[in-house]
Amino acid sequence: MSEERLTFDYCEQMVSDFEEVIKHPIRSKSSVYYTGVDLGTACVVVAVLDENKRPVAGAYQWADVVKDGMVVDYIGAVQIVKKLKQKVEEDLGTELLYAAGAIPPGTDTLDGGAVKNVIQGAGFEVTNMLDEANAANQILQMKNGAVVDIGGGTTGISILKDGEVEYIADEPTGGTHFSLVIAGAYRESFQEAEEFKRDSKNHKELLPVVKPVIEKVASIINEHVANFQVDEIALVGGTCCFTGIEDIIEKRTGIPTHKPKNPLFVTPLGIAMSCKSEEV
């Protein structure tokens, strides 16, 4: 079995385990719990790992408190994270103290500490902050390639060499654009389009509608990887849950493209993996 296959097997197992503990939390005692908080454009996810860095609990909520990677509803964001924190604490029968967070690549000078403040406002001690690509790669464990995080408003591209990020970019075009196109085609509201898009049963019908947007994402990827040796692409982020997106991107880029079982959960698990047991 190739090293590449083994790498993605680890990612698939972590995501599968996380999906299971969202439904059935593991209440056995751990000496410490590591929490990852992912403030996404369309979804807020809280992932909890035990002392062995294995998933034990999690929760998520669809939300619109973030736009293009920036917190636009601070109070709303704090309330959602606090609510999810309380839920997983009840599931585990313990208080969660430490958490890590992440921001899109290249937005560190724009964020102004807002994501960290939200996590602290929800009652956590923030023990690490990192960019989303490095977080995702905690689970993907890629050595050479590109992590492409297609979120609600933007597509983040991080090129890795020997496991280290050597180039980052973040450009408009993401799930919001999918929903806008769907809303226009079906003459429905943006929120109706969002909900229709989230149901995988509708993806086959919607693929011809959103294909131009996916091709736009592929062209953005091509532009940024042109000057690098990129052997593979890994897709993460909620928008990548759209069925068939990986096939179009692979065809347009000519680069082998992998999509984890549930790309929505890769980054929050990686954020939790980066959490430390003391405040920084």
Side-chain angles (χ1 to χ4, degrees):
M1 187 178 291
S2 70
E3 179 183 349
E4 177 184 298
R5 184 61 208 164
L6 285 171
T7 295
F8 285 97
D9 278 349
Y10 172 75
C11 175
E12 299 287 23
Q13 189 61 57
M14 284 290 287
V15 170
S16 179
D17 290 348
F18 183 59
E19 289 180 318
E20 181 62 26
V21 300
I22 288 176
K23 296 179 288 187
H24 306 290
I26 299 173
R27 290 181 64 96
S28 56
K29 290 297 181 182
S30 176
S31 60
V32 63
Y33 290 97
Y34 302 99
T35 304
V37 179
D38 186 9
L39 290 177
T41 301
C43 191
V44 177
V45 184
V46 171
V48 185
L49 310 180
D50 66 9
E51 59 193 357
N52 299 313
K53 296 295 180 83
R54 301 301 307 177
V56 290
Y60 63 95
Q61 179 176 323
W62 300 105
D64 57 1
V65 293
V66 174
K67 298 291 185 187
D68 298 336
M70 301 292 105
V71 177
V72 295
D73 180 359
Y74 177 80
I75 299 300
V78 170
Q79 290 174 340
I80 290 172
V81 176
K82 186 178 293 187
K83 174 184 172 183
L84 296 177
K85 179 178 187 286
Q86 291 172 344
K87 182 188 183 304
V88 291
E89 285 177 335
E90 290 172 5
D91 288 341
L92 293 171
T94 190
E95 181 183 6
L96 298 175
L97 302 176
Y98 311 111
I103 58 175
T107 63
D108 51 323
T109 58
L110 302 174
D111 176 72
V115 171
K116 182 176 181 179
N117 291 339
V118 167
I119 299 171
Q120 289 176 325
F124 286 108
E125 293 180 22
V126 178
T127 62
N128 198 12
M129 290 292 301
L130 69 167
D131 70 81
E132 291 174 347
N134 271 316
N137 205 42
Q138 298 282 326
I139 305 300
L140 294 167
Q141 298 186 340
M142 292 176 66
K143 294 299 182 183
N144 299 288
V147 177
V148 176
D149 188 337
I150 309 177
T154 64
T155 293
I157 301 163
S158 301
I159 297 176
L160 301 160
K161 183 176 181 181
D162 298 325
E164 298 294 329
V165 176
E166 66 170 348
Y167 174 84
I168 59 174
D170 195 56
E171 290 210 19
T173 302
T176 297
H177 302 81
F178 282 47
S179 298
L180 289 170
V181 169
I182 293 167
Y186 285 81
R187 296 179 179 174
E188 57 188 17
S189 70
F190 178 84
Q191 189 57 42
E192 287 171 331
E194 277 275 298
E195 293 173 5
F196 192 65
K197 178 188 70 176
R198 289 174 193 159
D199 189 340
S200 61
K201 292 183 294 186
N202 300 322
H203 288 179
K204 186 175 181 180
E205 175 185 338
L206 289 173
L207 188 59
V209 178
V210 301
K211 186 177 179 182
V213 185
I214 300 174
E215 290 175 338
K216 170 64 175 176
V217 170
S219 71
I220 291 172
I221 297 170
N222 278 330
E223 177 184 344
H224 288 283
V225 304
N227 297 322
F228 299 90
Q229 178 63 42
V230 175
D231 299 327
E232 59 184 345
I233 293 170
L235 300 178
V236 298
T239 300
C240 294
C241 294
F242 198 94
T243 306
I245 189 172
E246 69 275 22
D247 298 327
I248 296 173
I249 289 176
E250 180 168 321
K251 182 177 180 181
R252 290 288 173 172
T253 61
I255 301 171
T257 301
H258 309 271
K259 182 173 78 171
K261 176 185 176 186
N262 191 335
L264 177 65
F265 292 146
V266 175
T267 299
L269 283 168
I271 297 172
M273 188 71 72
S274 76
C275 183
K276 307 176 190 306
S277 59
E278 58 183 17
E279 194 168 6
V280 292

Short mmCIF file of all heavy atoms in Angstrom, two decimals, residues 10 27 36 63 85 100 120 138 145 148 155 186 206 208 217:
data_model
loop_
_atom_site.label_atom_id
_atom_site.label_comp_id
_atom_site.label_asym_id
_atom_site.label_seq_id
_atom_site.Cartn_x
_atom_site.Cartn_y
_atom_site.Cartn_z
N TYR A 10 -5.75 7.59 7.36
CA TYR A 10 -5.78 8.20 8.69
C TYR A 10 -6.84 9.30 8.74
O TYR A 10 -7.64 9.37 9.69
CB TYR A 10 -4.41 8.79 9.03
CG TYR A 10 -4.40 9.60 10.31
CD1 TYR A 10 -4.44 8.96 11.55
CD2 TYR A 10 -4.35 10.99 10.28
CE1 TYR A 10 -4.45 9.70 12.73
CE2 TYR A 10 -4.35 11.73 11.44
CZ TYR A 10 -4.40 11.08 12.67
OH TYR A 10 -4.42 11.82 13.83
N ARG A 27 -17.90 8.99 26.98
CA ARG A 27 -17.86 9.66 28.28
C ARG A 27 -16.75 9.17 29.19
O ARG A 27 -16.62 9.65 30.32
CB ARG A 27 -19.21 9.48 29.00
CG ARG A 27 -20.35 10.25 28.35
CD ARG A 27 -21.64 10.05 29.12
NE ARG A 27 -21.57 10.58 30.48
CZ ARG A 27 -22.01 11.78 30.84
NH1 ARG A 27 -22.53 12.60 29.94
NH2 ARG A 27 -21.93 12.18 32.10
N GLY A 36 -11.23 21.98 19.35
CA GLY A 36 -11.01 22.82 18.19
C GLY A 36 -12.30 23.54 17.84
O GLY A 36 -13.36 22.93 17.79
N ALA A 63 -24.68 28.54 10.40
CA ALA A 63 -24.74 29.93 10.87
C ALA A 63 -24.24 30.87 9.78
O ALA A 63 -23.61 30.44 8.81
CB ALA A 63 -23.90 30.08 12.14
N LYS A 85 -20.38 24.59 23.11
CA LYS A 85 -19.51 24.21 24.24
C LYS A 85 -20.34 23.55 25.35
O LYS A 85 -19.98 22.49 25.88
CB LYS A 85 -18.79 25.45 24.78
CG LYS A 85 -17.87 25.20 25.98
CD LYS A 85 -17.18 26.51 26.39
CE LYS A 85 -16.12 26.29 27.47
NZ LYS A 85 -16.69 26.03 28.79
N ALA A 100 -8.39 25.63 20.64
CA ALA A 100 -7.60 26.28 19.61
C ALA A 100 -8.55 26.79 18.53
O ALA A 100 -9.69 26.33 18.42
CB ALA A 100 -6.59 25.29 19.01
N GLN A 120 -12.59 32.94 23.29
CA GLN A 120 -12.43 33.34 24.70
C GLN A 120 -13.76 33.79 25.28
O GLN A 120 -14.09 33.47 26.42
CB GLN A 120 -11.39 34.45 24.81
CG GLN A 120 -9.97 34.00 24.57
CD GLN A 120 -8.98 35.16 24.60
OE1 GLN A 120 -9.31 36.28 24.19
NE2 GLN A 120 -7.77 34.89 25.07
N GLN A 138 -2.92 18.76 9.74
CA GLN A 138 -2.73 17.92 10.92
C GLN A 138 -3.43 16.57 10.72
O GLN A 138 -3.01 15.55 11.26
CB GLN A 138 -3.31 18.61 12.16
CG GLN A 138 -2.66 19.91 12.54
CD GLN A 138 -1.34 19.73 13.25
OE1 GLN A 138 -1.15 18.78 14.00
NE2 GLN A 138 -0.41 20.64 13.00
N GLY A 145 2.07 18.96 -1.95
CA GLY A 145 0.80 19.10 -2.65
C GLY A 145 0.13 20.38 -2.25
O GLY A 145 0.76 21.30 -1.71
N VAL A 148 -6.68 22.69 -0.61
CA VAL A 148 -7.62 23.68 -1.13
C VAL A 148 -8.85 23.69 -0.24
O VAL A 148 -9.59 22.70 -0.18
CB VAL A 148 -8.00 23.38 -2.59
CG1 VAL A 148 -9.05 24.37 -3.08
CG2 VAL A 148 -6.76 23.44 -3.48
N THR A 155 -11.94 30.74 -1.56
CA THR A 155 -11.16 29.52 -1.75
C THR A 155 -9.75 29.80 -1.28
O THR A 155 -9.07 30.69 -1.81
CB THR A 155 -11.15 29.10 -3.24
OG1 THR A 155 -12.48 28.71 -3.62
CG2 THR A 155 -10.20 27.94 -3.47
N TYR A 186 -33.34 28.96 -9.91
CA TYR A 186 -34.60 28.40 -9.42
C TYR A 186 -35.58 29.48 -8.94
O TYR A 186 -36.67 29.15 -8.47
CB TYR A 186 -34.33 27.40 -8.30
CG TYR A 186 -33.76 26.08 -8.78
CD1 TYR A 186 -32.41 25.95 -9.07
CD2 TYR A 186 -34.59 24.97 -8.96
CE1 TYR A 186 -31.89 24.75 -9.51
CE2 TYR A 186 -34.08 23.76 -9.40
CZ TYR A 186 -32.72 23.65 -9.69
OH TYR A 186 -32.20 22.46 -10.14
N LEU A 206 -28.32 19.65 -9.51
CA LEU A 206 -27.70 20.97 -9.42
C LEU A 206 -26.34 21.07 -10.13
O LEU A 206 -25.88 22.19 -10.41
CB LEU A 206 -27.51 21.35 -7.95
CG LEU A 206 -28.77 21.69 -7.16
CD1 LEU A 206 -28.43 21.89 -5.69
CD2 LEU A 206 -29.44 22.94 -7.73
N PRO A 208 -25.10 20.71 -13.19
CA PRO A 208 -24.97 21.57 -14.37
C PRO A 208 -25.12 23.06 -14.05
O PRO A 208 -24.54 23.91 -14.74
CB PRO A 208 -26.10 21.09 -15.28
CG PRO A 208 -26.44 19.72 -14.82
CD PRO A 208 -26.22 19.75 -13.33
N VAL A 217 -13.41 27.94 -9.62
CA VAL A 217 -12.53 27.53 -8.53
C VAL A 217 -11.30 26.83 -9.09
O VAL A 217 -10.16 27.08 -8.66
CB VAL A 217 -13.28 26.61 -7.55
CG1 VAL A 217 -12.29 25.98 -6.55
CG2 VAL A 217 -14.37 27.37 -6.80
#
